[in-house]
Amino acid sequence: MKIKINTYTAIKLMILSVFVFGYTIRVSTIPTFQYVSVLFLLGMCILLKKYFRNIDVKKMFLWMSFLIATFLSDMINNVSMHQWGMYFFMNTMSLLVLIVDNNALSLEKNEIKKLIQTYNKFVYLIFIIYLVDLLTGSLIMRTLADNWLTCIANWVPRGKSLFTSRYASYLGHYLFTDVIYVGYYILNAFYKHSFFDEIETPIIMHIVAVIGVISTGSKTGLLILSVLLIVFNIKKIKNMIALIAGAFALYFAGFFNILLGRLSTEEFSTGRFGAWQTLFDMKVLKLNLFYGIGDGFFEYIHRFVDFGTAGIATEYPILCLLFKVGVIGFIAYIALMLLIPGYELLKKKNLYGAVCIGAYFFLIATYNGLTAYPDTQIVYIIVVIMIELISKVAKKKYTLNE
């Protein structure tokens, strides 16, 4: 079967790489290559082949700067090539998708809709499993964890857990599941806002997104989703009233029990801020321009603080990155992931798109997904590309209609 070399195929393969052959599935089937997402690689190669002449030189320079910074940092600190290679496949490689000039990327509106529908179908699968598990004591997830996806066993509760345990999907950790749900809301809400067309009915979209995020027990996730709910509904009084009423209904039904329990027993950052404050007070971290501590960052800080504190500190991956690769590498990464996509949208006067990217980046920057789950960055990149495509096609559509 011949694979079509087009944008639609490339992005669909990227989406399938997360949901069909995601990290937990790779760990359970081919652990040696758990950090290598073959489907994403294939989609990325198709995209780069199609848009080879449209590679942005400045973005390519930034990617090379980040690559050199990671290599230099690991070489100077005697980090093994195996560990450097692992990080390359986790984070560095996927950034290549972002070096294409986004003005060259093109899709038809119906293709964008199909891609979001593909994403939605897997989110609904996760949500339905959650509802069934809610009533059966995590029957489905326990069966998967005991017989196949053993890497998620510690996150799946035993016995009845109605509104008392955080929910981890077949894709992995609670917080990664949270990232999936927020991505779902961004894609559907931004599409609706841009095209005045619905992929999913508003009530279903909001129920799945809100209950989904609450089920993961993510405090930051609920905060980000709340901001996005306000952004997309602030001008619609009926929607705001419905959201407030819905929030009260969920509260009295017990859906907020997990989050309220966490807020009553721990600070909002779950110790992350305190861990970094300890490191800064000890003055054991120094900034370098061209290189950093490298991928042995955890082992380095563990020399000064206990295992638990070191582990919690790594849950602020962006701060870790600053000291792992140095100032130049850090700036290159932030520019590719956040600053350039955000600026390009603002330049087109697309404030909604820029807010979505900023909010989503903040979400993935507040837990260790970027350093522990290679699919975290992949999902973020997929959402960024889709936002850019929606923005471009919607603007073209409106211009033609004016």
Side-chain angles (χ1 to χ4, degrees):
M1 183 179 70
K2 187 176 180 180
I3 298 177
K4 293 182 179 179
I5 308 297
N6 58 35
T7 309
Y8 175 81
T9 301
I11 299 176
K12 187 163 187 177
L13 283 169
M14 292 178 191
I15 294 172
L16 294 177
S17 76
V18 175
F19 294 103
V20 176
F21 205 43
Y23 178 67
T24 55
I25 294 174
R26 297 196 300 273
V27 170
S28 303
T29 53
I30 48 170
T32 306
F33 298 99
Q34 60 186 277
Y35 296 107
V36 182
S37 180
V38 177
L39 289 180
F40 178 82
L41 264 175
L42 184 57
M44 183 186 75
C45 289
I46 290 173
L47 200 71
L48 292 176
K49 177 177 174 57
K50 179 173 175 59
Y51 295 103
F52 182 75
R53 296 180 182 276
N54 301 107
I55 289 177
D56 189 305
V57 176
K58 292 179 182 177
K59 292 180 182 179
M60 185 65 188
F61 176 77
L62 288 170
W63 185 82
M64 288 297 297
S65 298
F66 181 68
L67 175 68
I68 293 169
T70 61
F71 182 77
L72 193 62
S73 299
D74 282 358
M75 184 180 69
I76 290 174
N77 291 281
N78 297 316
V79 176
S80 69
M81 283 299 295
H82 176 267
Q83 199 165 348
W84 177 84
M86 185 176 70
Y87 186 80
F88 175 80
F89 281 108
M90 275 187 62
N91 293 90
T92 311
M93 182 191 64
S94 59
L95 289 174
L96 279 170
V97 175
L98 298 175
I99 69 173
V100 175
D101 183 356
N102 67 346
N103 291 315
L105 290 173
S106 62
L107 273 183
E108 296 297 324
K109 179 190 169 186
N110 69 308
E111 292 178 316
I112 294 174
K113 189 172 186 176
K114 287 179 182 177
L115 288 171
I116 297 177
Q117 286 173 332
T118 299
Y119 188 104
N120 288 357
K121 287 174 183 176
F122 289 104
V123 172
Y124 297 145
L125 173 63
I126 292 170
F127 189 73
I128 290 169
I129 292 174
Y130 164 68
L131 294 179
V132 173
D133 276 1
L134 203 62
L135 301 173
T136 61
S138 301
L139 176 63
I140 296 176
M141 288 308 302
R142 275 194 294 109
T143 301
L144 287 174
D146 292 342
N147 298 284
W148 183 29
L149 306 177
T150 54
C151 58
I152 65 172
N154 292 334
W155 302 322
V156 179
R158 299 283 170 176
K160 298 292 182 181
S161 58
L162 190 65
F163 307 141
T164 58
S165 300
R166 302 172 72 182
Y167 180 71
S169 69
Y170 78 92
L171 294 178
H173 196 272
Y174 329 107
L175 297 181
F176 181 63
T177 303
D178 167 53
V179 168
I180 295 294
Y181 277 120
V182 175
Y184 161 83
Y185 183 76
I186 288 174
L187 290 175
N188 286 273
F190 187 64
Y191 179 93
K192 182 178 183 295
H193 170 80
S194 300
F195 291 116
F196 300 99
D197 181 25
E198 296 172 358
I199 294 178
E200 188 53 84
T201 56
I203 188 167
I204 292 178
M205 177 178 71
H206 286 90
I207 286 174
V208 171
V210 173
I211 294 180
V213 168
I214 291 173
S215 73
T216 67
S218 171
K219 293 172 287 187
T220 305
L222 185 59
L223 174 64
I224 294 298
L225 181 62
S226 298
V227 170
L228 292 170
L229 288 170
I230 293 171
V231 167
F232 284 106
N233 293 283
I234 191 66
K235 296 180 181 179
K236 305 163 187 173
I237 302 301
K238 289 183 179 179
N239 287 12
M240 290 301 296
I241 293 173
L243 286 171
I244 293 170
F248 275 107
L250 291 174
Y251 171 76
F252 287 113
F255 280 89
F256 284 98
N257 290 353
I258 303 167
L259 276 166
L260 292 174
R262 295 190 69 211
L263 286 170
S264 65
T265 58
E266 57 192 39
E267 60 168 302
F268 191 83
S269 71
T270 321
R272 297 177 180 93
F273 180 81
W276 276 94
Q277 189 62 53
T278 299
L279 290 171
F280 287 138
D281 289 342
M282 296 177 73
K283 298 179 180 179
V284 297
L285 296 172
K286 295 180 180 179
L287 280 178
N288 290 303
L289 190 62
F290 298 104
Y291 65 94
I293 298 168
D295 287 307
F297 179 82
F298 175 84
E299 290 77 9
Y300 175 80
I301 62 174
H302 185 29
R303 287 158 48 187
F304 307 98
V305 296
D306 61 82
F307 183 88
T309 301
I312 292 172
T314 61
E315 296 196 22
Y316 273 164
I318 300 303
L319 265 178
C320 293
L321 184 69
L322 177 60
F323 293 99
K324 282 173 69 174
V325 302
V327 176
I328 291 178
F330 174 80
I331 292 173
Y333 181 86
I334 297 297
L336 283 171
M337 286 278 284
L338 175 65
L339 299 181
I340 293 176
Y343 172 73
E344 288 176 342
L345 286 165
L346 288 174
K347 194 165 63 173
K348 297 173 183 175
K349 299 181 181 179
N350 194 327
L351 181 60
Y352 282 85
V355 168
C356 286
I357 287 178
Y360 207 41
F361 184 81
F362 183 82
L363 178 63
I364 66 169
T366 54
Y367 86 109
N368 65 349
L370 289 174
T371 54
Y373 281 84
D375 291 0
T376 301
Q377 185 165 293
I378 289 174
V379 173
Y380 173 83
I381 288 172
I382 290 169
V383 172
V384 168
I385 291 174
M386 292 300 293
I387 288 174
E388 291 175 340
L389 283 165
I390 291 169
S391 176
K392 179 182 178 181
V393 175
K395 184 177 179 181
K396 180 180 178 182
K397 177 175 176 289
Y398 299 148
T399 301
L400 290 173
N401 288 342
E402 287 176 353

